Amino acid sequence: MTRVFTIVFLIVPLLSNTLVLVVSYLSIFDFAAHPERCYILTGVVAFASLVSLAAFPVSELPLGRAILGSILQAFLLLLIFACFYRDLGLVGAGPVTLPIGFYFSVVTWTTLGYGDLYPTDSMRLVAASGAMLGYVYSGILIGVLVTQFERARGS
């Protein structure tokens, strides 16, 4: 049962987010002409990531693997949002490259908000979703890490 649980709740979301990253990076969907596709992918990515992260405490994974999986998931999410920002643009950046998109993704994820860049009208919903995902993901991540540390300390 543990192997099936690990595959369904931990590996499948990581693989699905990796697939979304590849699709976004290669600009297979025309996000500029169809921003609603970006909205749908944002919802799918957020759902898959939160399910995966919430499954870590009950997965009985070793502490190191749980931390590595959480960090990998967060990095994938930041890159996915960076690709979205690259394709749909940001105000104040000129042409948006992947590093600029990644910078804005991190600033939005952490809700830091320097104000030097901001999303275009079609990206506001995605940026708000990124900020909310950052809040929720960070909260769950802290809970997962505390649970994993307590489990490792108790055994």
Side-chain angles (χ1 to χ4, degrees), residues 12 20 28-29 36 39 41 53 55 57 59 84 86 94-96 102-103 110 117 126 132 137 155:
V12 169
V20 170
I28 292 174
F29 296 126
E36 67 277 357
Y39 304 152
L41 282 179
L53 189 59
S59 68
F84 291 163
R86 180 200 62 194
V96 180
F102 188 77
Y103 160 78
T110 59
L117 303 173
V126 173
M132 290 302 295
Y137 194 90
S155 59

Side-chain angles (χ1 to χ4, degrees), residues 1-67:
M1 188 65 158
T2 304
R3 182 177 295 271
V4 172
F5 179 87
T6 302
I7 290 171
V8 171
F9 288 103
L10 301 178
I11 295 174
V12 169
L14 281 171
L15 291 177
S16 69
N17 283 350
T18 303
L19 178 65
V20 170
L21 174 62
V22 169
V23 165
S24 301
Y25 181 77
L26 296 177
S27 300
I28 292 174
F29 296 126
D30 187 10
F31 291 132
H34 303 283
E36 67 277 357
R37 294 175 180 169
C38 186
Y39 304 152
I40 292 167
L41 282 179
T42 299
V44 168
V45 164
F47 179 76
S49 302
L50 293 176
V51 164
S52 175
L53 189 59
F56 276 115
V58 293
S59 68
E60 300 176 8
L61 281 176
L63 178 63
R65 288 188 182 175
I67 292 172

Side-chain angles (χ1 to χ4, degrees), residues 60-147:
E60 300 176 8
L61 281 176
L63 178 63
R65 288 188 182 175
I67 292 172
L68 181 63
S70 302
I71 291 170
L72 178 62
Q73 187 77 268
F75 188 70
L76 279 173
L77 290 169
L78 290 169
L79 281 176
I80 289 168
F81 278 96
C83 290
F84 291 163
Y85 298 134
R86 180 200 62 194
D87 290 348
L88 287 171
L90 297 167
V91 176
V96 180
T97 60
L98 195 59
I100 291 172
F102 188 77
Y103 160 78
F104 185 75
S105 183
V106 170
V107 168
T108 302
W109 177 276
T110 59
T111 66
L112 185 59
Y114 285 125
D116 54 345
L117 303 173
Y118 54 96
T120 60
D121 289 342
S122 61
M123 282 302 295
R124 287 184 179 170
L125 183 60
V126 173
S129 298
M132 290 302 295
L133 184 60
Y135 270 137
V136 173
Y137 194 90
S138 298
I140 294 174
L141 179 61
I142 290 168
V144 165
L145 293 177
V146 167
T147 301

